[in-house]
Amino acid sequence: MKLRSWVLIFIACNLLTFSTISAFRLSRSQPTERISGSAGDVLDDNPVGRLKVFVYELPSKYNKKILQKDPRCLTHMFAAEIYMQRFLLSSPVRTLNPEEADWFYVPVYTTCDLTPNGLPLPFKSPRMMRSAIQLIASNWPYWNRTEGADHFFVVPHDFGACFHYQEEKAIGRGILPLLQRATLVQTFGQRNHVCLKQGSITVPPYAPPQKMQSHLIPGKTPRSIFVYFRGLFYDVGNDPEGGYYARGARAAVWENFKDNPLFDISTEHPTTYYEDMQRAIFCLCPLGWAPWSPRLVEAVIFGCIPVIIADDIVLPFADAIPWEDIGVFVDEKDVPYLDTILTSIPPEVILRKQRLLANPSMKQAMLFPQPAQPGDAFHQVLNGLARKLPHDRSVYLRPGEKLLNWTAGPVADLKPW
Amino acid sequence: MQKRREEAKKMKLLSAFRSSYLNRRGTTFRSLDPSSFDGGFIPKPSPSSIFWLAIHCLCCLISLILGFRFSHLVLFFLFSTSVTNLYTTTAGVSQLLKLKPLEKANVTAKSSRVVVGRHGIRIRPWPHPNPVEVMRAHQLLERVQKEQKSLYGVRSPRAVIAVTPTYVRTFQALHLTGVMHSLMLVPYDVVWIVVEAGGKSNETASFVGKSRLKTIHVGFDQKMPNTWEDRRRVESKMRIQGLRIVREEKLDGIVVFADDSNMHSMELFDEIQNVRWFGALSVGILAHSGNADELSSVLKMNQEGKPIQGPSCDSSGKLVGWHVFNTQPYATKTAVYVDDKAAVMPSKMEWSGFVLNSRLLWKEPVDDRPTWVKDVDNLLDGNEEIEDGPLSMVKDPSMVETLGSCGRNVLLWWLRVEARADSKFPPGWIIKSPLEITVPSKRTPWPDSSSKLPVVTKEAKYNQPATEKRSDSTFVIEEKLDGIADDSNMHSMELFDEIQNVKWFGALSVLTLTNQQGNPLSMPIQGPSSDSSGNLWGGTFLISLMPPRLRFMQDGMVRESVDDKPTLMIVLCPWSRILPELIASWIINSPLEITVGIKEDTVVRLGLYPLVRNKNQKLLMVSATR
């Protein structure tokens, strides 16, 4: 009896311990994106000839009609999904013969649903995506062949294919079940996050190239601002109590450095915003609701060293761009010591970062220009897709084999679009 | 703000709470679990079972803790690859982390997943920047800028030789100060050759002496004539005189013709370093008749032609011609006399738009001297008249080097504003006798609408330097309220020394330079006036500018001083009205507490108080402190 109770207790204890471990493992079993510091040589790869992409022809209600309804979609920071389609249609990697295609692209503009203020709210996106997939799965044989493993989607929203702008809700939703096997091209990137699945390609957010080009000032303009930042510190509307928005990091920047003369920080967006970035040494790129921000692109374009404050962020094309060499990474908890951290960087290191930033292929990889240019972000996406080839044999399903659960997910998502 | 700070404090507490999250979880396991097993498994405890139970609990606890630690270890090994990768920082940052033991204390904690939800706002207890770090930041900025300069800047800078013709007149102070300040800011060696018509004068010498530049001040024995046409001719001769000096002294560098009616951008001096022999630049021509309506109509007529004079290139960047300022719209209204009330037109080609290598002027033959430049000996020896401006110095004008992306960047401007030739001005701008009083100091009420005041067309103002504050006759007080610097002001450097003497609120004389002096006999000066003992007793009408925000601390009003001394009297208008209508302000000596900031659109007319002076009390200036 006594022995039994002892054994029982022991087992109970062990069970408890291991369950904690397994819980941890579950949460940590998300893939980790490797950042290797190879210089810009990969950026200059030419994807043409290394892959062939078939672009599905979808009814215009999935793309063109949506854009007609709201042309603002062409200019906001999620516009990559639109430009990607335009690019692929005229790209030499496009093939009209689906049989020889390595990748299949489904042109749906899931993010092009803006509020009057211009904020995208992806509430309809899951249904729309589901509808598009149902369509291609019934009209073409290729989806069912792999259940999407050789398909890619552009999902540039805050939390990618989780389709919600609030992180907690996004995590609760998880990646849309139908996209479990597909390759996602998204701006969101955070290590060990539910909304970033293995094999996703992280891209920079869209920033208008012509507009930025027109604001370039001569390189000899002395950089006289030490730290520059323009943007919100508190999102009172969505986060009245504070501490949720940017995990408190932006608020910490403000509270610690609002009176510091080295920090040119404010909520006002001046007309000289782009020029000011070219007059600054460091540009803060703290997380907002999502870890990424268009400031990263702007900083690279304008040669301002990005100070990335977003723990575990996965940066765009991290396999091709040596972000550690370009930017400065500051942990969110170290924000109060930002001045110490930045002033402790040796001048040679700063100059080296500036030299790397001056590399045109680095800047090119951050942009989605119209028309596309060699080495731009479109080409980097294609390079990323080409590097995943050839597909593993295991992605092709045996006849009759079904892996995807078409009825998974919230009930509201299952309604027809 | 206060509220936010409080909020932030709360956040800080919260953050501390958060940071102990893991620990708390650990303790929960320790404290809760054994006790719950306690009740569940052994309902009736006997002494031996209690003993066993104690041991069980102990074992349980140990295994729990071990398990917990072990799980950490397992995770650490499992994800060690990612851990090392994720947190590779640059050499600089990692060095820093070594500096701060706090930072490297817990590497494993860093690898923990970022928690969703509310986070604290971390605020450091001592918010002020560390002076050492501030200094380092400035060193970094300096280093970066130095690097930029070495990348984009001039490799082997040559000296700048500026040739300036000038003569003593009312507006000399304005014009010459402007050119002098520009030259003082040039980051290269500067030799300033000042050629003065009518011989060297003390006025000019004292200006030139203040520049701390290497100057060569020479006289030119010919008076400046009164017509623009003649003046131009004489000025050309004076420039040639300057070039002769370059030849005699064998100065090496780039010759610029810095007229005192020019305003130069600093890029100009970088740009001219690119010149090899003879270069041309665009000059922005600001033709000004002094009459706004007339000017605007002229500008309308002249819309097709840009007010620019300079080289013009084809698309390949080759010089094909010259863009000359279209004077046709002005044909009937061009000034002939220096004090005419019409637009002053530039000559065919302004000298200031050309720069040349001083070696062209040397007597000794210079290697690879271009053949397309005429031999200037004839010109300099006076055997030849120069008729077509500097372009007559070259044989082939198409060979002239173009600067400023072929004149597309305008790097200097031309604005000629002069007072009547017979307008009076105090020599050296030191007022020897008290100014006539247009507004007595004791007068009440003060004219309360600015329209009643004599409205002076403000073309330019000159802040008059003071000699000595308490000198018997000159009484120059500072007008400076938290750094009001109008962009139509020209300041002498002494001004900034002088205003250091201000205690609270001061006034000083302002020269208003209008190019149509209505009354040539009165001095164009506004400022306070004082009696021989230095007491303020009245003054020429003083006009000073106030920023639109003026908040008077403590109950938001001007506080009358306690000891019955008079207070401040200001007539304020909103900012938009300041430019057309000047604002009158008066000064007094009581130590007022004044700060800046009033609601933008509030029109404040403050009380008009008589100005009385305490006999014993020296004038205490009143100025604003932030």
Side-chain angles (χ1 to χ4, degrees):
Chain A
M1 173 71 190
K2 280 167 197 167
L3 197 80
R4 234 168 64 192
S5 68
W6 157 248
V7 169
L8 260 174
I9 289 172
F10 187 80
I11 289 172
C13 288
N14 277 337
L15 263 178
L16 218 115
T17 321
F18 278 104
S19 65
T20 44
I21 291 179
S22 55
F24 262 93
R25 280 195 58 182
L26 268 181
S27 59
R28 305 186 115 256
S29 65
Q30 294 297 319
T32 55
E33 197 91 357
R34 218 184 103 78
I35 302 178
S36 60
S38 64
D41 48 351
V42 194
L43 290 174
D44 298 330
D45 284 356
N46 186 3
V48 178
R50 292 165 59 212
L51 78 165
K52 284 195 161 61
V53 177
F54 176 76
V55 181
Y56 281 110
E57 267 184 55
L58 294 187
S60 60
K61 66 170 180 172
Y62 290 101
N63 39 55
K64 285 197 194 89
K65 284 255 174 70
I66 296 177
L67 182 60
Q68 272 164 14
K69 241 186 274 169
D70 200 341
R72 287 180 298 172
C73 297
L74 281 175
T75 49
H76 70 54
M77 54 188 175
F78 305 107
E81 63 179 2
I82 297 162
Y83 291 116
M84 194 68 194
Q85 189 207 3
R86 294 188 177 179
F87 163 70
L88 281 173
L89 287 180
S90 58
S91 170
V93 301
R94 182 190 178 194
T95 175
L96 297 173
N97 176 10
E99 290 301 331
E100 62 167 24
D102 303 302
W103 286 101
F104 294 83
Y105 168 64
V106 188
V108 271
Y109 299 167
T110 48
T111 318
C112 184
D113 184 8
L114 306 183
T115 61
N117 302 334
L119 298 170
L121 291 178
F123 298 133
K124 287 187 208 144
S125 313
R127 277 153 59 199
M128 183 175 166
M129 188 63 92
R130 187 183 162 83
S131 154
I133 292 172
Q134 272 171 334
L135 187 86
I136 57 165
S138 52
N139 289 4
W140 284 275
Y142 311 106
W143 175 272
N144 293 329
R145 205 169 61 181
T146 60
E147 291 202 312
D150 53 358
H151 287 55
F152 71 93
F153 294 81
V154 183
V155 277
H157 198 258
D158 276 344
F159 290 97
C162 287
F163 294 124
H164 205 285
Y165 67 98
Q166 284 169 329
E167 185 169 18
E168 270 168 324
K169 299 249 174 72
I171 289 175
R173 294 179 52 89
I175 291 173
L176 194 72
L178 289 182
L179 296 175
Q180 297 287 351
R181 288 172 58 81
T183 291
L184 301 177
V185 176
Q186 57 183 34
T187 42
F188 173 78
Q190 181 176 312
R191 273 179 287 272
N192 310 321
H193 198 283
V194 184
C195 301
L196 178 68
K197 67 190 215 63
Q198 187 148 32
S200 292
I201 295 175
T202 311
V203 294
Y206 176 80
Q210 279 92 0
K211 193 177 162 203
M212 294 167 89
Q213 192 74 35
S214 66
H215 284 268
L216 283 179
I217 58 175
K220 65 177 175 186
T221 314
R223 291 192 184 265
S224 49
I225 303 169
F226 192 64
V227 177
Y228 187 74
F229 175 79
R230 288 291 180 277
L232 282 183
F233 297 104
Y234 294 92
D235 187 349
V236 186
N238 295 310
D239 176 22
E241 18 171 8
Y244 286 98
Y245 180 58
R247 300 182 202 128
R250 288 194 185 202
V253 168
W254 175 249
E255 296 302 340
N256 286 299
F257 301 109
K258 59 186 166 192
D259 295 325
N260 192 320
L262 294 177
F263 284 68
D264 187 349
I265 55 175
S266 137
T267 50
E268 281 162 39
H269 246 272
T271 46
T272 54
Y273 176 63
Y274 284 159
E275 284 85 355
D276 288 345
M277 284 188 117
Q278 296 167 74
R279 285 189 273 262
I281 294 187
F282 293 109
C283 289
L284 299 187
C285 306
L287 70 164
W289 284 112
W292 56 274
S293 113
R295 284 178 195 83
L296 195 69
V297 178
E298 291 156 356
V300 172
I301 299 300
F302 295 129
C304 185
I305 297 171
V307 180
I308 295 150
I309 308 168
D311 291 359
D312 282 356
I313 188 172
V314 176
L315 290 160
F317 308 128
D319 48 352
I321 294 178
W323 285 106
E324 306 88 347
D325 297 341
I326 293 174
V328 177
F329 290 78
V330 177
D331 286 356
E332 286 161 29
K333 69 174 172 53
D334 292 339
V335 165
Y337 313 104
L338 207 50
D339 52 349
T340 315
I341 293 172
L342 295 180
T343 52
S344 308
I345 305 176
E348 303 77 51
V349 177
I350 288 183
L351 294 180
R352 176 157 185 273
K353 286 177 194 297
Q354 289 185 328
R355 278 196 300 274
L356 282 171
L357 276 172
N359 183 350
S361 60
M362 212 75 77
K363 296 183 197 295
Q364 191 73 295
M366 289 291 107
L367 293 175
F368 295 93
Q370 293 293 309
Q373 290 157 9
D376 63 9
F378 299 117
H379 289 81
Q380 301 312 326
V381 173
L382 293 185
N383 280 336
L385 292 170
R387 280 196 285 272
K388 292 182 193 298
L389 295 176
H391 292 298
D392 194 68
R393 291 308 322 155
S394 63
V395 304
Y396 298 99
L397 303 180
R398 288 182 299 278
E401 189 184 359
K402 287 271 177 241
L403 291 175
L404 285 186
N405 180 2
W406 285 76
T407 52
V411 188
D413 289 357
L414 304 181
K415 285 186 209 152
W417 180 61
Chain B
M1 196 53 71
Q2 193 57 40
K3 220 176 180 181
R4 185 173 271 186
R5 214 167 277 164
E6 275 168 28
E7 219 175 70
K9 261 179 210 161
K10 271 187 239 158
M11 295 295 147
K12 206 170 117 196
L13 284 178
L14 195 100
S15 79
F17 198 48
R18 287 269 159 199
S19 63
S20 63
Y21 176 65
L22 273 181
N23 296 343
R24 272 196 302 125
R25 200 146 76 161
T27 46
T28 342
F29 277 124
R30 270 169 237 162
S31 58
L32 267 179
D33 297 339
S35 60
S36 67
F37 291 156
D38 213 9
F41 283 86
I42 296 120
K44 285 177 187 171
S46 66
S48 66
S49 66
I50 286 174
F51 170 68
W52 274 113
L53 182 71
I55 289 194
H56 294 170
C57 285
L58 201 73
C59 291
C60 189
L61 222 102
I62 289 166
S63 62
L64 238 177
I65 294 164
L66 276 178
F68 196 68
R69 290 277 160 233
F70 180 65
S71 72
H72 263 290
L73 266 180
V74 166
L75 290 169
F76 183 73
F77 285 122
L78 269 176
F79 295 95
S80 59
T81 43
S82 65
V83 169
T84 47
N85 269 328
L86 308 192
Y87 294 96
T88 9
T89 39
T90 53
V93 178
S94 48
Q95 269 178 15
L96 160 95
L97 296 186
K98 271 175 225 152
L99 290 176
K100 296 194 303 167
L102 195 143
E103 300 308 314
K104 73 170 186 182
N106 202 346
V107 182
T108 42
K110 273 183 170 181
S111 71
S112 71
R113 227 182 104 242
V114 178
V115 192
V116 185
R118 192 165 174 197
H119 292 244
I121 296 165
R122 293 182 185 82
I123 299 172
R124 59 181 184 191
W126 179 250
H128 306 288
N130 179 350
V132 178
E133 288 167 7
V134 174
M135 207 178 66
R136 244 184 297 166
H138 284 285
Q139 283 164 352
L140 281 175
L141 283 164
E142 212 173 292
R143 181 74 188 83
V144 165
Q145 290 175 10
K146 199 177 140 202
E147 182 77 8
Q148 281 182 296
K149 252 188 213 144
S150 71
L151 276 177
Y152 302 100
V154 181
R155 293 289 149 83
S156 50
R158 289 178 278 173
V160 173
I161 304 163
V163 178
T164 305
T166 187
Y167 68 107
V168 178
R169 61 196 191 277
T170 308
F171 276 30
Q172 186 194 28
L174 173 85
H175 292 317
L176 206 58
T177 308
V179 173
M180 180 177 84
H181 287 177
S182 299
L183 292 176
M184 281 161 75
L185 291 172
V186 174
Y188 311 107
D189 286 342
V190 175
V191 183
W192 191 21
I193 301 173
V194 181
V195 187
E196 187 175 358
K200 279 171 85 167
S201 71
N202 260 333
E203 277 94 348
T204 313
S206 66
F207 268 117
V208 171
K210 280 173 209 153
S211 70
R212 297 189 293 271
L213 293 168
K214 190 183 167 196
T215 49
I216 302 173
H217 179 199
V218 292
F220 188 75
D221 50 358
Q222 196 176 337
K223 276 247 179 246
M224 192 57 88
N226 204 16
T227 61
W228 285 112
E229 192 53 44
D230 293 340
R231 185 178 159 184
R232 254 174 227 126
R233 202 166 300 129
V234 172
E235 279 179 346
S236 291
K237 283 184 195 160
M238 288 160 79
R239 290 187 191 103
I240 300 291
Q241 179 68 28
L243 296 182
R244 265 179 224 129
I245 293 165
V246 174
R247 180 175 64 166
E248 280 152 28
E249 306 264 326
K250 217 183 158 192
L251 298 173
D252 192 8
I254 300 153
V255 179
V256 279
F257 298 99
D259 293 358
D260 58 6
S261 50
N262 285 143
M263 186 54 77
H264 304 87
S265 72
M266 282 299 118
E267 287 96 332
L268 172 85
F269 297 101
D270 295 334
E271 185 65 27
I272 59 170
Q273 295 288 339
N274 299 326
V275 103
R276 198 170 144 71
W277 291 111
F278 196 95
L281 289 151
S282 282
V283 186
I285 304 290
L286 307 172
H288 200 302
S289 66
N291 184 334
D293 296 336
E294 203 176 302
L295 184 73
S296 63
S297 68
V298 167
L299 283 181
K300 229 176 271 164
M301 286 157 70
N302 202 30
Q303 253 166 0
E304 320 84 59
K306 294 186 187 76
I308 285 164
Q309 194 178 75
S312 183
C313 297
D314 58 10
S315 54
S316 64
K318 204 182 154 348
L319 180 70
V320 289
W322 302 89
H323 187 93
V324 182
F325 184 54
N326 181 13
T327 53
Q328 212 175 2
Y330 298 88
T332 54
K333 297 176 195 142
T334 314
V336 178
Y337 291 97
V338 168
D339 50 357
D340 262 3
K341 224 176 125 179
V344 182
M345 283 301 124
S347 58
K348 209 167 174 189
M349 269 309 195
E350 273 299 309
W351 280 75
S352 51
F354 294 90
V355 291
L356 55 102
N357 190 330
S358 68
R359 294 179 190 218
L360 286 178
L361 308 167
W362 292 1
K363 268 186 180 145
E364 296 81 5
V366 181
D367 299 339
D368 61 335
R369 190 180 190 281
T371 52
W372 50 271
V373 179
K374 277 188 202 163
D375 196 7
V376 288
D377 278 349
N378 277 341
L379 190 71
L380 295 191
D381 294 339
N383 302 333
E384 200 181 312
E385 275 283 305
I386 195 152
E387 70 287 336
D388 192 21
L391 265 188
S392 55
M393 290 171 74
V394 292
K395 287 176 199 152
D396 182 5
S398 66
M399 293 299 288
V400 171
E401 300 157 55
T402 57
L403 299 171
S405 20
C406 189
R408 276 193 289 275
N409 299 342
V410 178
L411 301 173
L412 82 159
W413 297 269
W414 182 94
L415 168 68
R416 189 151 277 186
V417 182
E418 293 296 349
R420 282 178 65 118
D422 55 350
S423 76
K424 286 202 326 184
F425 67 99
W429 289 106
I430 294 163
I431 306 158
K432 289 281 189 265
S433 58
L435 299 169
E436 49 199 283
I437 299 162
T438 46
V439 181
S441 62
K442 287 189 183 178
R443 177 169 163 188
T444 3
W446 188 266
D448 64 348
S449 96
S450 49
S451 60
K452 279 187 196 165
L453 305 172
V455 174
V456 184
T457 323
K458 189 179 58 169
E459 291 305 328
K461 300 200 296 172
Y462 181 73
N463 280 357
Q464 163 64 27
T467 43
E468 226 185 331
K469 204 164 73 179
R470 261 170 273 138
S471 80
D472 54 358
S473 57
T474 313
F475 194 54
V476 181
I477 322 171
E478 293 84 323
E479 173 256 315
K480 202 74 191 167
L481 184 84
D482 194 38
I484 306 163
D486 208 9
D487 67 357
S488 57
N489 282 354
M490 182 67 74
H491 305 91
S492 72
M493 284 300 129
E494 287 92 336
L495 170 79
F496 300 102
D497 295 338
E498 184 60 29
I499 58 170
Q500 300 293 330
N501 296 325
V502 113
K503 183 148 185 224
W504 295 108
F505 197 97
L508 41 74
S509 289
V510 179
L511 162 68
T512 56
L513 299 178
T514 71
N515 61 352
Q516 313 150 37
Q517 294 296 327
N519 178 5
L521 298 174
S522 72
M523 288 194 203
I525 296 169
Q526 299 159 3
S529 188
S530 59
D531 60 14
S532 54
S533 62
N535 281 344
L536 186 67
W537 60 287
T540 302
F541 172 54
L542 170 90
I543 294 170
S544 74
L545 289 180
M546 298 280 165
R549 16 201 185 90
L550 244 175
R551 186 180 57 211
F552 294 85
M553 224 170 35
Q554 302 179 351
D555 45 275
M557 287 298 293
V558 175
R559 202 160 53 92
E560 269 195 65
S561 62
V562 207
D563 46 3
D564 257 346
K565 265 177 251 140
T567 37
L568 174 91
M569 182 178 69
I570 301 173
V571 184
L572 262 189
C573 349
W575 193 231
S576 54
R577 280 179 58 201
I578 280 177
L579 286 178
E581 304 161 11
L582 295 169
I583 299 157
S585 66
W586 201 244
I587 307 150
I588 238 184
N589 58 341
S590 307
L592 289 172
E593 285 187 87
I594 303 169
T595 30
V596 257
I598 203 167
K599 278 172 193 156
E600 307 261 289
D601 43 6
T602 317
V603 181
V604 182
R605 267 174 206 282
L606 294 163
L608 313 170
Y609 299 93
L611 184 85
V612 185
R613 283 202 58 84
N614 188 325
K615 268 183 196 166
N616 306 330
Q617 207 187 349
K618 299 227 171 68
L619 184 81
L620 295 172
M621 309 295 177
V622 186
S623 95
T625 46
R626 205 186 275 270

